[in-house]
Amino acid sequence: MGKTDKIVYKILSGLSDKNIAFADLVNLLLKFGFSVKINGSHHIFSREDVEEIINLQPKNEQAKPYQVKQVRELIVKYTLNVNSDE
């Protein structure tokens, strides 16, 4: 299981929302094909075929738990997949 798969598993399990690194969450969204605009500490992600926009900000190098939940809901709703194993 590659690093990306492990992060997706942690997010989907819902047991580690407080322990997801911000950089890992950003990289995952980029691998899902989202584009990012950065405005200060705000990282705004969008994708043409996804209705929602995700706005992430780091908290001590960690992703905020409610933002991890938002990403989880997108993964499930749109059945997002990564074509690469790393």
Side-chain angles (χ1 to χ4, degrees), residues 3-22 24-29 32 56 63-65 67-76:
K3 182 177 181 179
T4 301
D5 293 330
K6 289 178 184 176
I7 294 165
V8 171
Y9 177 78
K10 282 175 68 173
I11 291 170
L12 290 177
S13 74
L15 300 174
S16 300
D17 288 359
K18 292 181 180 180
N19 296 318
I20 304 291
F22 181 76
D24 289 342
L25 194 59
V26 167
N27 288 330
L28 180 65
L29 287 171
F32 280 145
L56 303 179
K64 295 178 181 179
Q67 293 171 342
V68 174
K69 182 181 178 190
Q70 289 175 341
V71 171
R72 177 173 46 254
E73 290 170 354
L74 283 184
I75 293 170
V76 171

Side-chain angles (χ1 to χ4, degrees), residues 46-71:
S46 61
R47 191 170 123 167
E48 194 172 298
D49 60 340
V50 174
E51 187 176 324
E52 296 86 353
I53 294 173
I54 296 291
N55 184 356
L56 303 179
Q57 310 88 38
K59 182 177 182 182
N60 300 325
E61 297 184 15
Q62 295 294 107
K64 295 178 181 179
Y66 78 91
Q67 293 171 342
V68 174
K69 182 181 178 190
Q70 289 175 341
V71 171

Side-chain angles (χ1 to χ4, degrees), residues 30-42:
L30 293 174
K31 287 184 180 187
F32 280 145
F34 283 81
S35 59
V36 64
K37 284 196 234 179
I38 300 174
N39 186 2
S41 66
H42 293 259

